[in-house]
Amino acid sequence: MSSAPDPQDALSDSRSDFVGDAPDFALEAEGLTKIYRGSGGQAEKLALDHVDLQIPRGSLFGLLGPNGAGKSTFINILAGLVIKTKGTAKVWNHDIDAETRLARASIGVVPQELNIDPFFTPEELLEVQAGLYGVPKRERRTEEILSLIGLSDKRSAYARTLSGGMRRRLLIGKAMVHSPPVLVLDEPTAGVDIELRQQLWENVVELNRRGTTVLLTTHYLEEAEELCDRIAIINHGRVVANDDKSALLGRLDAKTLRLTIRERLDAAPETLARFEPQIEPLAFGDEGGVGSQLVIAYRPSVTHAGEIVGALYESGLTLIDLSTEETDLEDIFLQLTRDADASRAA
C-alpha cells in the first residue's frame, strides 16, 4: 500500500510552480463575499460584497479604504485565515479551495501586529520560519534575506533589542523565506517614524523590482500615490475604484491655478470675474511691497489654464508668478468614498 504524500514534499513541489508559466494575474477574486454572523442579538455584518479584483503579476498594487472597509478580511481570505462565504479567489492561479496548499505557499503576508518571538535572533527566526514551510536547508535564503532587509549586522541580536523599524523589516523577511511570488503588506508602516518608513519602502521597492508582486494596504495616501502603479479603493466591502494610478488621478476633473500679481486687489477685474477667483493679499520684495494672489479652481475639461492667463493679461495686471496644483490621491479617495456612502444611503 502506498504511503500518504509528505506535506513537506508538497511544499517543496509547490515552489517549483513559481518558476513555471507565470500567470497574468498574481491574485484574482470573483464575486468574493464574506458575511460575519451576528452574536448576542447583533445583526450580521457584510464585510465583503461581491468583490471582483485582478492584481497583475509584477505590480506594486495599493488597496485603500477607510477602517472597516474590508481590506483585512480580503487579505485574510487569501491567506487562509478567514473562510469566505461565497465567490472564488486564486493566488498565483491556484484556487484557495481546490488547491489550498499551493495557494498558501504562493503568498507571504506581513501582518499589522509585531508577532515576533523576542528571545530569537533574526537569523534563528528566519531559519525556523523556513523550516515551518518545509524549505530544505540547502535552499534556504537566510543570508540573502538578512542582507535585503538590512539586518545582516543584527543577525545574532535578540529580537527584543531591535527597534520598531527593524522588527517591521524582520516581518517582511519572515514572509519571504519560502520565496513566495506574492507579498502582502497590511499597514506595514503603522507607528513607524518617517526615517524608518523610508527605509522600509526601499526594501519593498527592491523586492518588487526583483519580480515580487506586492499588495499593499495603507492609511498613508501619499505613500500609495508615490509607490503604487495600480490602486483599488474599497468601501463598505465594495470595490469603488480599480485603475492605473495615472488614470485614477485623472478621474477628478479639478485643478487649482495660483496667480501672483504685482497689484493689490480688493475685487476681481471684469475679465477674470467669471472664473470666481479667491483674492489673497501677498507681501513680497525687499521693500515689503504688497501684491495679490488669485486662487482659481477650474475644471480642465471645461476651461484651459491658457484662457485664465489670457484673461489676466487682458485685464492689464502684472503677472509675477503662477503655479498649478494637481489632483492627488487623497482627493480621489475622499470623493469616491463619499459617492459610495451617498449611493449606499439612497
Side-chain angles (χ1 to χ4, degrees):
M1 183 173 64
S2 61
S3 60
D6 186 339
Q8 300 252 339
D9 291 339
L11 279 174
S12 296
D13 292 341
S14 73
R15 282 190 296 276
S16 66
D17 291 348
F18 303 160
V19 295
D21 294 334
D24 291 332
F25 298 104
L27 296 170
E28 297 177 80
E30 184 175 349
L32 195 60
T33 300
K34 175 61 183 177
I35 301 173
Y36 289 104
R37 291 182 178 179
S39 60
Q42 294 182 337
E44 293 180 335
K45 175 176 174 55
L46 180 61
L48 291 181
D49 187 2
H50 296 85
V51 168
D52 295 329
L53 195 60
Q54 293 178 319
I55 297 179
R57 182 188 77 246
S59 64
L60 208 168
F61 192 100
L63 181 62
L64 309 182
N67 289 329
K71 303 187 299 297
S72 293
T73 297
F74 178 74
I75 289 171
N76 288 335
I77 289 175
L78 295 175
L81 301 175
V82 170
I83 299 174
K84 64 183 174 60
T85 301
K86 61 181 178 180
T88 62
K90 293 181 180 180
V91 181
W92 209 248
N93 210 31
H94 299 302
D95 186 278
I96 63 172
D97 293 323
E99 302 174 283
T100 302
R101 184 174 293 276
L102 290 171
R104 294 183 185 180
S106 301
I107 193 170
V109 178
V110 181
Q112 296 182 39
E113 299 79 15
L114 290 170
N115 56 350
I116 295 175
D117 192 314
F119 298 102
F120 279 75
T121 67
E123 182 178 20
E124 291 170 340
L125 283 167
L126 295 183
E127 285 290 316
V128 169
Q129 189 78 357
L132 292 174
Y133 273 99
V135 182
K137 283 187 176 292
R138 67 182 179 278
E139 296 180 15
R140 294 181 187 177
R141 303 165 48 237
T142 301
E143 294 287 344
E144 178 188 344
I145 293 173
L146 285 170
S147 175
L148 184 61
I149 61 177
L151 291 179
S152 294
D153 60 336
K154 298 291 184 180
R155 59 185 303 126
S156 299
Y158 286 121
R160 66 176 181 269
T161 68
L162 302 179
S163 69
M166 291 177 182
R167 295 182 191 184
R168 290 284 180 189
R169 282 183 272 157
L170 183 53
L171 282 179
I172 294 177
K174 285 182 63 181
M176 293 297 297
V177 295
H178 58 300
S179 302
V182 182
L183 182 65
V184 177
L185 299 104
D186 191 10
E187 301 285 352
T189 57
V192 176
D193 66 40
I194 294 176
E195 182 178 358
L196 292 177
R197 189 185 306 165
Q198 187 64 38
Q199 294 174 7
L200 199 64
W201 287 131
E202 289 174 1
N203 294 139
V204 172
V205 169
E206 176 61 19
L207 285 170
N208 181 246
R209 188 189 67 80
R210 295 188 181 195
T212 301
T213 302
V214 178
L215 169 61
L216 161 73
T217 74
T218 179
H219 280 145
Y220 299 108
L221 298 182
E222 70 278 9
E223 280 185 345
E225 185 171 354
E226 179 180 351
L227 296 171
C228 298
D229 46 58
R230 192 173 182 88
I231 293 170
I233 296 175
I234 189 170
N235 194 39
H236 296 300
R238 292 184 177 183
V239 174
V240 297
N242 177 19
D243 212 335
D244 179 82
K245 179 176 65 178
S246 59
L248 192 61
L249 292 173
R251 284 194 187 189
L252 195 60
D253 186 23
K255 281 189 176 182
T256 300
L257 182 64
R258 293 182 178 272
L259 303 166
T260 303
I261 60 173
R262 176 73 62 184
E263 294 78 10
R264 169 65 190 274
L265 297 179
D266 294 317
E270 184 177 348
T271 57
L272 286 169
R274 63 189 178 97
F275 299 112
E276 300 181 351
Q278 296 181 12
I279 302 174
E280 301 173 355
L282 189 67
F284 55 85
D286 295 336
E287 299 178 359
V290 177
S292 302
Q293 185 172 81
L294 306 181
V295 182
I296 300 175
Y298 67 100
R299 297 172 56 195
S301 63
V302 176
T303 304
H304 297 293
E307 296 177 47
I308 301 174
V309 175
L312 176 73
Y313 281 119
E314 187 179 342
S315 71
L317 297 173
T318 307
L319 179 64
I320 297 176
D321 193 15
L322 66 83
S323 64
T324 59
E325 295 177 2
E326 301 285 344
T327 300
D328 63 20
L329 186 57
E330 184 171 4
D331 297 323
I332 297 289
F333 179 84
L334 292 174
Q335 175 176 300
L336 290 174
T337 52
R338 278 197 300 263
D339 289 347
D341 288 340
S343 176
R344 184 183 176 86

